[in-house]
Amino acid sequence: MTLIEKKLNRRSFLKVSALAGGGMMLSFSWLAGCKPTNEEILTMPDEWFEINSYIKIGENGAVTLFNPNPEFGQNVKTSLPMILAEELDIDWKKVFVEQADFYPDRFDRQFTGGSNSVRSSWKPLRTAGATARQLIINAASQTWNVPVEEITTSMGTVEHKSSGKKAGYGEMASLAGTLDAPDPETVNLKEIPDFKIIGKSKKNVDGNKIVTGKPLFALDHKVEGMKYASIVHPPAFGMKLKSFDKNSVTSLPGIQDAFELKIFKDDYGRNFFDTTTFPVIIAIVGNSTWEVLQAKKSLKVEWEKASDSTFPMAGRGGQNREIKVLGGLENSSTHKEKMAEYISKPGNIHRKDGDPETAFKQASRIIERTYSAPFLAHNTMEPMNAFADVKDDQAIIYAPTQAPELIRQTLSSSLGLPVENIQINLARMGGGFGRRAYSHHLTEAALISQKIKAPVKMVYTREDDMTAGVYRPTYSATYRAALDANNNLLGLHVKAGGIPESPLHANRFPAGAIDNYLAESWQIDSNITIGAFRAPRSNFIAGAEQSFLDELAEEMGKDPIEFRLELLKRAETNPVGERNDYDPKRYAGVLELVREKSNWSNVPSGIARGVSAYFCHNSYVAEVVDISIKNKQPVVESVFAAVDCGIVINPDAAANMGEGAIVDGIGNAFFGEMTFEDGVPTKSNFDKYRMIRHNEAPKKIEVHFVENNEAPTGLGEPLFPPIFAALGNSLYKATGKRLYEQPFQPQILQIENLNM
Amino acid sequence: MAQYNLNINGKTHQVDVDPNTPLLWVLRDHLDLVGTKFGCGIAQCGACTVHVEGNAIRSCSYPVSAIEDKKVVTIEGLSEKGDHPVQKAWLEHDVPQCGYCQSGQIMTAVSLLNQNSNPTDEEISQAMNGNICRCGTYTRIKAAIKTASKSI
């Protein structure tokens, strides 16, 4: 499969002179981070020269590289500057890295999500580094009066060998900063074998600050005169604010005010990421977090049931369309009943190859299985919060957000300020997992600051965070296979749906490998708000599909890896249909690698083993899970992962993120679940919402990368979806029981005599 | 409100707060020691772990009035230059992803190693079980603790 390369956006390579001397962005960044250490001060230059949006060089040769994208633990603050440093040709040890704040005029895509940071920055950042290097060369050419072609660079020095002239980049920086940037389309990029930084593990640039407890997060931010705030939202989906008694809290110690917050203007056309469960909430403001949190408990408030309502959503061509929000208090038990009804109803057909009806009529055997999974809460360790300082004519916001671009119109509308007067500064996030693509917490803090005319830090309690929605939807998928008398696979049928969206990916494997194939979907409306959760939709459908293929392989008497490879061979040599969205050879490659690394056919004694493989976010992953049973409880002994995500920028950090995705998946497969009773989320803190802990994590995880020279693809998400089935398939091997419903743990407890 | 003289990281700090105020919020809001994190508020996640008289405690559920003259150490006071063996091991294994829970993880790990300088895998899991890492760095945390145990 070929990736379409986006034409480079030239604005990234233009200088913005107003900021060259250190505008709000730079000064704020130092304040928000921490004071430079003594070591840093020694190497601080007297003057910085801006070479382009991403790079400034000091007269002493110090280099600052900006990480454009929001950091939430995926380590872009290290890996993206590594790409710049490679092409700039400098010594990584002499690099300062700063988090860029949100500057859409300077940076192309300041968004974290879809495992896209490295993939979409690969070419632009290489080009930014290479154009900066070219500017240094051009400056040296002018200074020394020698031809550009005769100048070479190495590790931050520029040299003209025949005349013996040599200088550090710093000596050329002031001139380079005044020269016109070369056409980014024409600069030479390094050959891959010449890479010195990319592909060599570098430590997290913020590692030292993290282990010493330096302020890094928005929640750590403080300014003179700052107030503290929190919110009170309705207790249930389908409920809204009726009235509240401000006096019930304003007489309490340290409490300044309590008021109603309306997040959106009535006529504002929301975008797809303006999701918020409760558009009208109460804010409480005071002198300290603890006093505000205490006041929340004392607030006298009345809620009422909400009837059906609508809000305007921005549509194409500037026309708003109405989106309906259902009234009513929903229950998980009713959800299950409704979802079961859809299994026998016809769905919406998304793909049909061959003649699946006839294949199923002619089948001597039909295997049908239904898989399901519940709503999930993201539960980032840092709860939603934001700092805001809103004045009459401008707003400064410092907050954890994956998607500043997607909230600034909302902020502009709600605050009544033009977008150019709203500065969003990007805090390191204490986790994201998709949750912080929805940034209403920024609007809430900003509206509070505007109302009290003071800077404010607004924080959710864990309970607020867990019960405020934007969950992973609940899903169900039914797979049917038609087998003939000789156990040949005649046809496959998948029908998948959810509340309120379907997880179906109709054109993914095994589509393309089966002559008679039918993919259908359905969905059920709900007032429970949902949003992106690490590998949206894939995080469920992969588990269903790969569990079913495992079951099918067993029914057909085949090794589960061999069976998948046979299907992939078919998709490679004689594909069915034309819309198959995966490369069968790379898919097979990860299965072959994991087979080798796990020593697949030699299962250690006392171990049950399962495999799974999936393609999403342009990357291929195969995983093998080994479990044992101890004290009637499964123990994950080892996980082997094989990953093809093209070139790996920072291998050790990439492995770390892969290990994390595996742990996350095992945790959600065993325990993850949010349920509802009369609209109320039944779990509101970690005492009830079970998260995976140290003793449940795999004892060993190996992440192996396929070595190739393909452009980098996604990594944060692709290791997550396949783990659900790899675990489920190993649990089947251990117990003889297939688990069709997530979370697995309650069902494991029901298996009697669980021994191996 | 009441006045307290707190011994934190070897220095005396005076605060005037409600006696029920958890140590966590005294550290964060009143003393600007923000390395100790707010995660759950009910002693379930470990993000707020600090040492009181050398023992790891959850500062979100420890009222300031209970501290009296006990010695408190936070992540900021663990070492002068960030070079405690556990901090060094954390960097060597490049443990953190988002980093939010890590000061709590480190404080629990230090407390474990102070009591048991050579813990087994199982002892590590047991001691660290109260600290959630949503990014899933558990295997690296275990490896880092084993590395640190060699130099303690």
Side-chain angles (χ1 to χ4, degrees):
Chain A
M1 195 185 64
T2 54
L3 303 175
I4 298 159
E5 279 189 359
K6 196 179 69 172
K7 199 165 161 59
L8 292 163
N9 186 337
R10 290 199 61 154
R11 68 185 171 176
S12 300
F13 306 103
L14 300 178
K15 292 185 285 289
V16 183
S17 55
L19 291 160
M24 181 156 65
M25 169 174 67
L26 303 185
S27 54
F28 190 93
S29 175
W30 282 116
L31 284 175
C34 64
K35 280 185 287 189
T37 63
N38 288 336
E39 204 175 304
E40 284 168 341
I41 288 165
L42 291 177
T43 53
M44 261 311 147
D46 296 327
E47 196 172 352
W48 287 110
F49 301 99
E50 191 177 47
I51 311 298
N52 60 36
S53 290
Y54 298 94
I55 298 166
K56 51 179 187 166
I57 300 180
E59 88 290 337
N60 66 350
V63 177
T64 291
L65 304 176
F66 285 98
N67 164 41
N69 282 11
E71 170 69 65
F72 69 174
Q74 82 281 43
N75 215 12
V76 278
K77 197 172 170 184
T78 306
S79 56
L80 296 186
M82 283 172 70
I83 301 172
L84 288 166
E86 181 69 69
E87 294 289 350
L88 180 58
D89 201 11
I90 47 171
D91 182 353
W92 180 252
K93 288 201 268 316
K94 293 181 183 161
V95 166
F96 294 93
V97 174
E98 278 194 49
Q99 175 64 52
D101 289 319
F102 177 55
Y103 268 94
D105 292 340
R106 289 167 63 91
F107 303 106
D108 285 341
R109 183 191 170 277
Q110 295 186 277
F111 175 76
T112 287
S115 294
N116 232 327
S117 293
V118 167
R119 182 179 161 223
S120 62
S121 300
W122 175 241
K123 185 84 184 291
L125 292 187
R126 289 183 74 191
T127 309
T131 51
R133 175 178 165 273
Q134 190 61 50
L135 279 169
I136 296 286
I137 290 175
N138 293 352
S141 165
Q142 279 191 24
T143 307
W144 296 335
N145 200 20
V146 298
V148 161
E149 306 78 57
E150 294 177 9
I151 297 174
T152 57
T153 63
S154 173
M155 298 281 275
T157 60
V158 57
E159 188 174 9
H160 183 249
K161 284 210 170 78
S162 57
S163 66
K165 290 191 164 74
K166 196 172 177 178
Y169 280 10
E171 293 169 59
M172 298 297 162
S174 74
L175 177 58
T178 65
L179 300 177
D180 287 337
D183 180 353
E185 303 286 341
T186 64
V187 295
N188 289 327
L189 301 180
K190 276 189 182 176
E191 296 296 325
I192 291 167
D194 296 334
F195 284 167
K196 294 190 181 82
I197 296 172
I198 291 171
K200 310 284 186 299
S201 295
K202 306 290 178 207
K203 301 290 186 200
N204 186 330
V205 295
D206 278 338
N208 205 52
K209 289 180 182 170
I210 291 168
V211 304
T212 54
K214 297 285 189 306
L216 275 171
F217 302 89
L219 202 61
D220 302 341
H221 192 60
K222 189 177 186 181
V223 300
E224 200 63 38
M226 185 180 86
K227 294 292 178 179
Y228 296 81
S230 190
I231 56 113
V232 177
H233 68 67
F237 292 75
M239 299 285 276
K240 62 175 186 174
L241 177 64
K242 186 179 178 194
S243 66
F244 73 101
D245 177 11
K246 176 176 161 168
N247 297 326
S248 61
V249 293
T250 46
S251 57
L252 295 172
I255 299 303
Q256 176 184 328
D257 204 355
F259 45 86
E260 184 181 305
L261 277 189
K262 198 172 157 190
I263 312 305
F264 304 104
K265 290 266 195 283
D266 287 335
D267 61 349
Y268 171 64
R270 296 190 209 175
N271 72 49
F272 190 67
F273 286 82
D274 275 323
T275 307
T276 183
T277 310
F278 305 113
V280 178
I281 57 177
I282 302 158
I284 301 178
V285 182
N287 296 334
S288 72
T289 312
W290 176 246
E291 286 164 320
V292 168
L293 299 190
Q294 288 302 97
K296 274 161 65 89
K297 295 176 193 160
S298 303
L299 185 76
K300 284 194 180 136
V301 53
E302 280 192 74
W303 312 103
E304 62 186 352
K305 284 186 190 171
S307 41
D308 291 0
S309 62
T310 61
F311 66 82
M313 178 78 99
R316 288 201 181 116
Q319 293 289 313
N320 286 346
R321 62 198 169 96
E322 287 213 323
I323 301 291
K324 191 172 172 183
V325 180
L326 294 176
L329 305 178
E330 300 182 20
N331 286 286
S332 292
S333 53
T334 327
H335 286 161
K336 280 188 182 175
E337 287 164 20
K338 277 191 184 175
M339 287 169 81
E341 285 170 22
Y342 277 77
I343 294 167
S344 50
K345 286 188 201 173
N348 300 313
I349 296 176
H350 287 250
R351 174 163 167 163
K352 187 173 171 179
D353 294 326
D355 185 356
E357 288 84 357
T358 303
F360 277 89
K361 265 183 215 152
Q362 290 173 347
S364 55
R365 221 157 42 112
I366 292 173
I367 298 164
E368 177 177 323
R369 303 286 185 262
T370 295
Y371 305 83
S372 68
F375 285 96
L376 296 175
H378 294 80
N379 295 342
T380 60
M381 287 310 291
E382 178 197 29
M384 297 306 122
N385 71 93
F387 166 86
D389 187 3
V390 180
K391 303 232 166 32
D392 288 345
D393 58 350
Q394 64 153 340
I396 295 177
I397 292 159
Y398 180 57
T401 173
Q402 295 176 228
E405 178 93 49
L406 298 168
I407 195 67
R408 67 179 185 143
Q409 288 294 345
T410 319
L411 284 164
S412 171
S413 160
S414 299
L415 294 171
L417 290 172
V419 285
E420 54 274 19
N421 294 16
I422 299 170
Q423 175 63 45
I424 303 174
N425 296 316
L426 302 176
R428 185 182 190 89
M429 287 171 267
F433 311 100
R435 175 62 184 83
R436 290 190 229 264
Y438 311 88
S439 305
H440 52 87
H441 48 291
L442 277 69
T443 317
E444 290 159 11
L447 286 170
I448 295 169
S449 173
Q450 189 175 47
K451 166 99 177 168
I452 64 169
K453 298 186 190 305
V456 72
K457 183 161 70 182
M458 185 280 301
V459 61
Y460 280 27
T461 60
R462 176 57 55 195
E463 289 80 4
D464 298 329
D465 193 279
M466 207 179 280
T467 58
V470 199
Y471 301 120
R472 198 286 299 266
T474 177
Y475 295 122
S476 161
T478 302
Y479 282 83
R480 295 166 70 225
L483 299 178
D484 71 10
N486 298 319
N487 276 338
N488 294 308
L489 181 58
L490 301 177
L492 190 88
H493 175 201
V494 52
K495 193 195 290 178
I499 303 176
E501 64 158 28
S502 167
L504 183 71
H505 285 287
N507 297 318
R508 288 199 180 151
F509 182 76
I514 291 161
D515 288 313
N516 305 298
Y517 172 80
L518 177 65
E520 296 178 274
S521 82
W522 50 266
Q523 57 193 52
I524 298 169
D525 285 344
S526 167
N527 60 24
I528 293 165
T529 53
I530 57 117
F533 186 113
R534 196 174 209 164
R537 297 168 289 281
S538 304
N539 60 36
F540 167 72
I541 200 76
E545 168 201 301
Q546 292 290 312
S547 296
F548 188 68
L549 290 187
D550 205 67
E551 201 157 348
L552 210 47
E554 188 184 32
E555 294 285 349
M556 295 164 73
K558 294 182 175 181
D559 171 80
I561 291 182
E562 271 309 317
F563 174 53
R564 286 169 173 83
L565 290 174
E566 279 171 24
L567 290 171
L568 287 162
K569 197 74 193 167
R570 167 70 204 275
E572 183 196 338
T573 53
N574 181 21
V576 182
E578 285 171 0
R579 290 182 295 159
N580 308 323
D581 67 359
Y582 59 96
D583 177 340
K585 275 183 103 159
R586 291 180 76 180
Y587 211 136
V590 292
L591 275 162
E592 283 158 358
L593 184 61
V594 88
R595 180 163 65 180
E596 176 202 327
K597 296 293 181 186
S598 66
N599 200 1
W600 171 252
S601 41
N602 294 315
V603 185
S605 108
I607 292 293
R609 175 169 276 188
V611 67
S612 166
Y614 204 65
F615 164 76
C616 67
H617 302 87
N618 300 86
S619 295
Y620 302 82
V621 177
E623 288 167 344
V624 166
V625 168
D626 282 359
I627 64 168
S628 64
I629 302 289
K630 294 205 170 92
N631 303 323
K632 296 193 172 186
Q633 183 63 34
V635 174
V636 181
E637 299 284 344
S638 304
V639 179
F640 304 88
V643 184
D644 182 350
C645 60
I647 292 166
V648 180
I649 311 299
N650 193 7
D652 186 50
N656 191 357
M657 187 160 55
E659 291 155 20
I662 286 166
V663 171
D664 189 5
I666 290 171
N668 277 298
F670 273 128
F671 313 120
E673 181 179 40
M674 178 57 89
T675 53
F676 302 89
E677 279 173 26
D678 293 330
V680 179
T682 54
K683 299 171 187 183
S684 61
N685 207 322
F686 297 131
D687 54 341
K688 297 211 174 69
Y689 198 111
R690 190 160 167 194
M691 309 290 288
I692 188 166
R693 290 176 182 270
H694 278 266
N695 66 344
E696 293 138 354
K699 290 185 181 166
K700 186 180 85 171
I701 305 175
E702 289 181 18
V703 178
H704 300 278
F705 294 100
V706 171
E707 285 183 29
N708 61 30
N709 287 341
E710 302 283 341
T713 51
L715 187 62
E717 289 161 295
L719 283 94
F720 185 63
I723 199 71
F724 292 82
L727 178 64
N729 295 339
S730 68
L731 285 167
Y732 166 71
K733 283 280 182 194
T735 65
K737 292 223 188 267
R738 292 274 175 191
L739 301 178
Y740 297 102
E741 236 181 290
Q742 291 170 30
F744 294 150
Q745 180 67 7
Q747 299 174 75
I748 290 167
L749 294 176
Q750 287 172 12
I751 301 174
E752 283 174 24
N753 302 319
L754 186 52
N755 291 307
M756 269 173 70
Chain B
M1 299 295 227
Q3 288 226 343
Y4 296 95
N5 289 311
L6 305 175
N7 181 336
I8 295 166
N9 299 333
K11 287 184 199 150
T12 305
H13 298 263
Q14 201 170 67
V15 291
D16 186 13
V17 293
D18 181 286
N20 291 323
T21 309
L23 175 59
L24 169 69
W25 296 111
V26 174
L27 294 171
R28 292 187 57 84
D29 288 358
H30 300 273
L31 302 175
D32 296 339
L33 292 167
V34 294
T36 306
K37 300 303 189 208
F38 168 54
C40 69
I42 58 166
Q44 289 289 316
C45 79
C48 67
T49 305
V50 301
H51 295 172
V52 173
E53 293 292 318
N55 297 314
I57 61 101
R58 309 299 182 219
S59 66
C60 73
S61 305
Y62 198 102
V64 66
S65 57
I67 295 170
E68 296 167 342
D69 55 359
K70 298 184 189 94
K71 285 181 186 147
V72 177
V73 175
T74 70
I75 186 77
E76 290 91 346
L78 191 57
S79 62
E80 224 167 274
K81 294 178 178 167
D83 56 356
H84 186 282
V86 172
Q87 287 169 315
K88 280 163 75 175
W90 243 247
L91 294 175
E92 186 186 326
H93 290 270
D94 215 13
V95 171
Q97 289 184 37
C98 86
Y100 193 80
C101 75
Q102 297 294 349
S103 60
Q105 303 275 2
I106 289 170
M107 295 310 281
T108 305
V110 169
S111 165
L112 161 69
L113 290 173
N114 284 345
Q115 287 154 26
N116 177 358
S117 62
N118 193 20
T120 62
D121 281 15
E122 243 164 62
E123 286 167 337
I124 293 172
S125 287
Q126 206 172 358
M128 300 302 297
N129 224 33
N131 288 72
I132 297 173
C133 174
R134 176 68 181 84
C135 299
T137 63
Y138 296 129
T139 47
R140 284 183 186 237
I141 287 172
K142 190 182 282 180
I145 291 173
K146 295 198 118 168
T147 296
S149 74
K150 288 176 194 141
S151 51
I152 280 184

